[in-house]
Amino acid sequence: GDPIDKPLPRGKGEVNLSAFSFLFSELVQYSQTRTNQVTLLEQRLSDIGWSVGQRILDVIVFRERGLKRETRVVNILSFIQTTVWKILFGRAADSIEQSLEHKDQFMIIDQSPVTNKFISVPKELNQLNCAAFIAGV
Amino acid sequence: ASSAKRNGEQCYARAPKISAELFTLTYGSIVTQLLADYDTVDEVNTQLDQMGYNIGVRLIDEFLAQANITKCSSLKQTAEMIAKVGFKMFLGITANVGKWSADENEFSLILDENPLTEFVDLPENYSGLLYSNMLCGVIRGALEMTQMKVTCSFISDALRPGDDTTEIRVYFKEYLSEAIPINDE
């Protein structure tokens, strides 16, 4: 039927972390075949994350917040740190910090991003950070 | 068959988990990226299958290590293992096995639910897209590592208008001889 008539999934569904890790590592390897520059590779991972984040926001706001959106910077950041992180990764991010030099710069800190758990980065790519995907989200 | 079901449930229960929605949306974003990277839907189908194959050849090790199963003595047993242990262990769902050919070399995996297609609506101009084709590659790659050559394809997909079921057809071709594995060092 029309997807708009389907009830929104409750979001409690889970898959094996390995399934995600295999998929993500294949994404990294595929992206590597399309570019040999680390920054472009990170950009590709970030783009994929971006399209995930764009979609999950609507789902979460609709399901968890009764359509109420945050308009203040600190509130939306803490919403990302807690609610969004918990839904995606099963736990809140470790902290949020505001930069001392730039008032408009904030950092969301995650000590063990799931994207880096199973990825070993070879020497020639040592600049690569697969958490670019999460940043994209 | 019920012991396979129990085995699958235990494997799934033991495994660390992650949000199915993160998995689904990441898969969807990969498909979208492939549609941007390739000119035709057929090329995207091939690429999804190839990526699945790469995953399958790696995933089989974890499957065998976790599932504690002995060598399958028949294709029927293999089919049960894929449907009740493999699908359950990794995706949390089970498939139904059916539609065996007379020579017992072909069967179907029928999926009542498919976590890959949550939130997905196939636009008309992509009606030829085999959206979940990565699954076929995974099965093909994993079985190849156990010396079984198969072909694997979607013959119906509930995402498509007109298809009520999601069905993967698996054709057994031959047992591969115990050759030296590629890249064995």
Side-chain angles (χ1 to χ4, degrees), chain B residues 36-47:
Chain B
D37 288 346
Y38 292 91
D39 295 330
T40 68
V41 165
D42 286 344
E43 286 173 282
V44 173
N45 291 338
T46 306
Q47 185 59 37

Side-chain angles (χ1 to χ4, degrees), chain A residues 2-3 11 20 25 46 61 63 107 111 131:
Chain A
D2 205 320
F20 176 79
S25 121
S46 172
V61 166
R63 195 163 51 205
M107 288 149 287
Q111 304 287 359

